[in-house]
Amino acid sequence: MRPARPVPPPPGFDLLATPPRVSLANFYPFEPGEVAGQHWSESNLFLPCTNGTGEIQVGPRRFTLQAGQIMHVPWAGPIVYRADRRDPFVVIGLHFFYRPWSDAPVPRPHHVSRRVDLTRVSNQAPPSPQPFSEPFVLAPPPESRLLDWGSEIARAYSQADGVAEALREARLRAMALAFLADFQAAARGSGSAHGARATAAQARVVREISSWMELSLRRAIKRGELAERAGISESGLADAFRAVTGRAPIDYLIDLRLAHARRMLRSGRERVGAIAARVGIP
């Protein structure tokens, strides 16, 4: 689900003065119903979700995270993961530290599983300005490369053997910078541009219908069914989607299907026909 309004960076953050440095990056496929945490780490955490769904609690707040979305967790945010029992999520953990590139390599983040205070959004003051200060879930546009950047960062981080450390570090820096720049742009634009012209009611309708689309891709979905589910006319639904996303509802649905298909094809886990059936493409 997209944020209802743009997410501004806190004052003082300078992407060039303190660029993102990767302190840890890995894939984590959850087991059905698995619960992980409570813990927090000395890092600013981004969690791209490549498959499935689940719940992530950051401090006292709970968020649903689905395939194609990205969770932002502020520095030292206390976190608990709860995977769905039928379709558990697969997440990529991108741990960022912000310091000049001329500084020494950053250490792996220190994880703390004791003294976790779930009444707070962060258990430790960050050592430098951060790009965002609150937890939130971002649903990038279908054409976004953010999930691709996340996968490439995790793969590059794990390629320690046979790769010169200087080259590996240079690749990680470049990809982390591209990821964060794209993430900032998507977060700023999530409620601006088209959304600035949308009413609160239109934004609510699009959030609800787009979330339902995400969970119903394998079905044959028609425009009339979407309008009936939203409780408005087909023309009203089209106006809402154009105001918020700049696209017609069916065009938005097609983009969603293609984006999910691209991600599953890159994973190489299923045949093309099976992927097509999962996303509702005959």
Side-chain angles (χ1 to χ4, degrees), residues 2-261:
R2 296 177 185 271
R5 50 189 170 79
V7 183
F13 180 73
D14 186 333
L15 186 59
L16 295 179
T18 51
R21 307 277 298 274
V22 181
S23 56
L24 179 64
N26 56 10
F27 290 91
Y28 193 98
F30 281 79
E31 297 293 330
E34 181 180 352
V35 178
Q38 314 165 12
H39 63 255
W40 59 270
S41 62
E42 292 179 324
S43 66
N44 177 204
L45 179 60
F46 293 85
L47 296 167
C49 180
T50 62
N51 297 88
T53 187
E55 179 188 87
I56 294 181
Q57 180 178 351
V58 181
R61 300 172 62 181
R62 297 182 179 225
F63 302 84
T64 297
L65 184 65
Q66 302 172 348
Q69 297 178 333
I70 304 173
M71 177 86 204
H72 170 263
V73 181
W75 182 276
I79 191 167
V80 180
Y81 303 84
R82 299 180 179 92
D84 186 83
R85 293 185 178 277
R86 291 180 296 180
D87 189 19
F89 49 19
V90 178
V91 300
I92 304 169
L94 303 178
H95 295 261
F96 287 174
F97 199 106
Y98 301 95
R99 68 165 52 159
W101 281 343
S102 58
D103 287 1
V106 296
R108 288 172 64 97
H110 178 60
H111 290 280
V112 180
S113 57
R114 298 177 182 177
R115 302 185 303 279
V116 177
D117 186 354
L118 284 172
T119 66
R120 304 171 61 185
V121 172
S122 175
N123 277 213
Q124 183 188 75
S128 65
Q130 304 288 299
F132 304 99
S133 58
E134 294 293 326
F136 61 92
V137 171
L138 177 71
E143 67 274 10
S144 171
R145 286 209 63 209
L146 279 168
L147 266 75
D148 296 329
W149 285 126
S151 297
E152 290 175 20
I153 290 170
R155 284 195 290 267
Y157 186 89
S158 66
Q159 290 174 350
D161 296 333
V163 178
E165 181 60 28
L167 176 59
R168 173 175 171 269
E169 177 66 15
R171 292 180 61 203
L172 286 170
R173 292 181 185 190
M175 289 188 288
L177 187 62
F179 174 89
L180 186 57
D182 286 357
F183 190 93
Q184 286 184 302
R188 284 195 301 269
S190 60
S192 58
H194 304 294
R197 300 191 298 270
T199 66
Q202 286 176 322
R204 176 185 57 78
V205 164
V206 171
R207 287 198 301 270
E208 292 175 355
I209 295 301
S210 62
S211 294
W212 182 80
M213 286 178 179
E214 290 268 6
L215 299 174
S216 309
L217 290 179
R218 68 171 61 237
R219 296 184 48 193
I221 301 173
K222 297 183 178 180
R223 186 181 295 105
E225 181 184 6
L226 294 175
E228 183 178 355
R229 179 168 291 274
I232 58 177
S233 66
E234 290 186 26
S235 61
L237 181 66
D239 289 344
F241 264 83
R242 287 195 177 94
V244 175
T245 71
R247 282 166 286 179
I250 296 301
D251 290 338
Y252 184 89
L253 175 61
I254 291 171
D255 286 345
L256 278 180
R257 283 174 164 155
L258 291 175
H260 277 265

